[in-house]
Amino acid sequence: MFLGLYNYWIVVLLMMIGFYIVIAHGNLIKKLVGLTIFQTSVFIFYISMGNVDSGSAPILAEGVARYSNPLPHVLILTAIVVGIATTALGLALVVRIKESYGSIEEDEIQIQDQLTEDKTSC
Amino acid sequence: MLAHLPILQVIVPLMAAPLCLFLNRSKLVWLFALLVSAFTCANSIFLLQQVMSSGTIIYQLGGWDAPWGIEYRIDELNALLLLIISTIGTVVLFAAHTSIQKELAEDRHTLFYSLYLLSITGMFGIVSTGDLFNVFVFLEISSLSAYALIGLGKDRRALWAAYQYLIMGTIGATFILIGIGLLYQMTGTLNMADIASRLVEVNQTRTVFAAFVFLIVGVCLKLALFPLHLWLPNAYAYAPSIVTAFLAATATKVAVYLLIRLSFTIFGIEFSFSSLPLQNIFLVLGLVGIFAASTAAIYKTNVKHIFAYSSIAQVGYMIVGYAIQTTTGLMATLLHLFNHALMKSALFLALGAVVYRIGSAQLSQFQGLGRQMPLTMAAIVVAGLSLIGVPLTVGFVSKWYLLVAAVEVGMWPVAVLVLLGSLLAVLYIWRIVEIAYFKPPLPGREPVQEAPWTFLAPVWALVLANIYFGIDTRLSVQVAQAASQSLFGINP
């Protein structure tokens, strides 16, 4: 029971690792890496969900009668594209942040923001 | 042609977005985007009429039957949301050309319009589709374009706000994806109606319970419910004015729609409100949100920040209406969706006009604007009164129904707290009025001119709509009532 569902345990573990990195790290790139791990764990979750015992890949071939469920694969193809778009946009933002703040560390950016805020309010 | 209206609503702006890149002349692209947007507006009015007269429209994409193919399903709730998004989108876009000339570099104008159209497409898609995975994909289309739109802001803090929104938004969307996966695992289908019918057999399982929790948390992140609202204030404050006016009026509304759709149509009222103490959780979070956000708004010095926090408080009202769990409560939520879209777009657009003239949204810069920009400031005052909930404005109508709903079920404390929350709104609106009307113009500043008519026309159109729908409530109340009754399964 415990080991039989090992892929789901891996999914949960990866999810937690990704989520932890997003929360705990101050480096913007590392945060994005964490986010990607978090998303990837969901991809694995969908793919294990579509698996059929001793079923082959959902491609027509001679001598194969059992196929895995193709729908989760297709869905996850879409989600992967979405994930890539998110990562690309995130990295582009990091590049722009680096250009205008000169740093990609969360705490340094916040200090700089605090300084500008103090200047504009008085 | 008529039969294809539901899909045209989504397809036309989707196709128009890349076409913008070919036009590549600022004014031309603006006219094109405006045309497309006006088309969706007319389309949604037509859809609403059709729904109100002949019931739910079901559109099957590519002619495939529902559980296998994707279907679009437009009922009263969807039609109302489509109407809100498309009208606000069009009216706000009308002022876009003037506004972004000051706030954006010339070479970014085309990109701005295509992102704007993509963002609208995503929202239309979320609202019209009857397929759960489609919801996720459209959610990401609208969110990704929203992150980019926010990042266009002139201030460098816009980039940081967009990045934070991206991280939180993606976590929310991934939670929704996990929830959808768990639901698919239990039912083997992605069609909302189909899931709803099959869920009855398995809804006592832990998997369905987990799916519900993941979906609710994900959606609450998107709609900026109180403890999950951290991305919102900065994103609204540093985005270009037009983007703020548009997103504030539509983005969170779409998430509220999703919450209603999930808990009423898919999981069913019984499961949604009995498996979790959802009523208590949402009541408490909604009320705390109203007070915490309104108090924060009172202490802010940037007017965009003030109204951003007030948006979080308004989401609180919607959630309270939802948590009351009666048809009247839900009706108050839907009315507030409609009304808040009207008042917030008017406020943020008027602020856009102020930023256009004085280049800043700092409260201290507002000194003397009451005399120098009388029409713009009058618009802010009227829309502000609407935000407070003064009679003869739309704010009063939705708060009235909210109070009625709370009193109906005997939740007196809730009714009292809602009224007290409105008093806090008086405080932050009054601060703006005081500085704009009762302080002398800022020394050493050139006299400020009234905003150009391209701003005043849409702002006043929205302000007049605020007053009109505050007096003649037939349309909004009728649609909201029909939608909430059909969600509760009552046939009028």
Side-chain angles (χ1 to χ4, degrees), chain A residues 8 19 22 28 31 38-39 42 45-46 49 69 71 75 82 86 89 94 100-101 106 112-113 117, chain B residues 133 137 140 144 147 156-157 159-160 163 167 170-171 174-175 177-178 180-182 184-185 190 238:
Chain A
Y8 290 102
F19 208 24
V22 177
L28 302 193
K31 268 180 189 289
F38 181 53
Q39 285 181 309
V42 183
F45 164 62
Y46 267 74
M49 188 170 91
N69 184 354
L71 189 66
L75 296 181
V82 169
T86 314
L89 181 59
V94 172
S100 48
Y101 283 89
E106 192 180 358
Q112 291 194 31
D113 272 355
E117 205 133 293
Chain B
F133 198 79
V137 175
E140 283 293 9
L144 284 169
Y147 308 146
R156 66 176 178 179
R157 279 172 288 185
L159 295 169
W160 178 230
Y163 180 86
I167 296 283
T170 308
I171 290 173
T174 311
F175 271 25
L177 188 61
I178 299 170
I180 295 172
L182 291 170
Y184 178 72
Q185 203 168 21
L190 289 165
Y238 301 122

Side-chain angles (χ1 to χ4, degrees), chain B residues 131-143:
Chain B
D131 182 280
L132 210 48
F133 198 79
N134 249 252
V135 168
F136 166 74
V137 175
F138 279 117
L139 190 72
E140 283 293 9
I141 293 179
S142 77
S143 309

